[in-house]
Amino acid sequence: KREISNFDYLMYLNTLAGRSYNDYMQYPVFPWVLADYHSETLNLSNPHTFRDLSKPMGAQTVERKRKFIQRYNEVEKSEGDLSAQCHYCTHYSSAIIVASYLVRMEPFTQTFCSLQGGSFDVADRMFHSVKSTWESASRDNMSDVRELIPEFFYLPEFLTNANHFELGCMQDGTVLGDVQLPPWANGDPHKFILLHRQALESDYVSAHLHHWIDLIFGHKQHGSAAVEAVNTYHPYFYGDKMDLNNIKDPLIKSTILGFISNFGQIPKQV
């Protein structure tokens, strides 16, 4: 009925599912909505401009989807084991993902460094380009299935290195500074946020957003529907399914807690 925006709806669902700005490990999760980070102009009337919202990030290409299904089929089912049967052993939202996106702003700079052992990461692994991050998460990197955070739709400041942090130099000689934006943003963080928000509120996303919600918050989150959707994660990520009180072995318990804090947690099903 268009009585609330897609942004407001997603924030409401995140809150219902226990996600909060106060917890980096359960930070609000938002979808990649675009697949076009190379055009000079952004055409929001073309379906090919958009990411396939009916598929998780691990299944955005046919080849990538095939590899994750193969991984799932090769691992025997096992409980309480790091090699448990799943498509993904990494997560789409974690404390380090949140801090890496917001690393150019305090207090996230300090958070990122503390999670990294006191310093910035290797420059080539730092968040430096929207396009290359999309390519990594949707196609190139089998350990990267990250989604976005709400700030991508309202906060241009996180895309600039206004504090002049020395983030290092990449192997090709590029000195890290502001985040590299798609050509259609004309190097302007405000224009990027404006167009990105328009994409989130577009007719295409409004018509397909429920598919992504099914994957993250709904019935395709776990069980047979998740297997069919290529959307299963390591059992340790499902916090509401893991009863830590019944685990007597302190080593296993600390391993699970460390796993969750490092790699993320599935939202509560709503």
Side-chain angles (χ1 to χ4, degrees):
K1 293 180 180 179
R2 304 286 178 146
E3 291 177 4
I4 60 171
S5 66
N6 290 336
F7 183 91
D8 287 340
Y9 184 44
L10 287 171
M11 283 303 299
Y12 180 69
L13 288 175
N14 270 284
T15 303
L16 279 180
R19 314 294 286 190
S20 165
Y21 283 120
N22 299 320
D23 185 350
Y24 295 160
M25 289 187 287
Q26 297 192 78
Y27 208 76
V29 56
F30 269 58
W32 288 95
V33 293
L34 293 173
D36 182 355
Y37 297 96
H38 54 270
S39 299
E40 293 295 326
T41 55
L42 194 61
N43 182 2
L44 296 180
S45 62
N46 182 358
H48 296 294
T49 298
F50 297 91
R51 165 256 180 105
D52 187 343
L53 287 159
S54 70
K55 295 182 174 70
M57 290 304 291
Q60 289 296 306
T61 70
V62 174
E63 177 62 15
R64 185 168 160 94
K65 180 180 178 180
R66 184 190 66 78
K67 287 179 180 176
F68 279 120
I69 291 173
Q70 183 181 355
R71 172 194 281 178
Y72 180 89
N73 291 332
E74 284 174 353
V75 178
E76 292 294 322
K77 289 184 179 179
S78 57
E79 290 295 328
D81 185 359
L82 291 177
S83 62
Q85 188 176 38
C86 61
H87 293 108
Y88 315 116
C89 291
T90 53
H91 199 248
Y92 49 76
S93 176
S94 66
I96 195 69
I97 289 172
V98 172
S100 69
Y101 281 145
L102 300 173
V103 68
R104 290 163 179 79
M105 295 173 58
E106 291 288 16
F108 302 98
T109 312
Q110 295 303 315
T111 301
F112 181 84
C113 289
S114 66
L115 290 170
Q116 280 293 128
S119 62
F120 292 119
D121 199 357
V122 176
D124 288 81
R125 290 203 298 255
M126 295 279 284
F127 171 54
H128 65 277
S129 158
V130 178
K131 178 175 180 283
S132 66
T133 303
W134 159 254
E135 290 171 349
S136 171
S138 66
R139 187 188 71 200
D140 297 339
N141 187 345
M142 290 291 284
S143 63
D144 183 1
V145 292
R146 81 188 99 166
E147 294 279 7
L148 298 183
I149 54 176
E151 283 82 354
F152 272 85
F153 300 94
Y154 68 81
L155 189 71
E157 286 79 8
F158 87 96
L159 297 165
T160 60
N161 187 21
N163 292 317
H164 305 293
F165 292 120
E166 293 185 10
L167 301 172
C169 185
M170 297 172 66
Q171 287 184 348
D172 64 3
T174 304
V175 177
L176 259 59
D178 296 346
V179 175
Q180 295 170 17
L181 301 174
W184 44 260
N186 301 123
D188 181 353
H190 289 82
K191 185 173 183 181
F192 172 83
I193 295 293
L194 175 70
L195 291 173
H196 204 215
R197 183 63 172 267
Q198 286 178 0
L200 178 65
E201 304 299 341
S202 66
D203 289 339
Y204 180 89
V205 172
S206 295
H208 295 86
L209 187 58
H210 63 285
H211 295 303
W212 184 82
I213 290 167
D214 286 343
L215 294 168
I216 307 300
F217 302 108
H219 77 285
K220 293 182 181 177
Q221 192 191 73
H222 54 75
S224 58
V227 175
E228 194 175 326
V230 194
N231 192 44
T232 66
Y233 296 81
H234 195 282
Y236 290 172
F237 295 148
Y238 296 87
D240 55 344
K241 301 285 183 291
M242 188 69 60
D243 189 357
L244 291 173
N245 294 323
N246 288 334
I247 298 173
K248 304 303 179 192
D249 188 324
L251 186 60
I252 294 176
K253 199 169 189 173
S254 65
T255 301
I256 293 172
L257 287 170
F259 209 79
I260 293 167
S261 64
N262 283 317
F263 296 111
Q265 208 169 336
I266 302 286
K268 289 175 184 166
Q269 193 174 22
V270 297

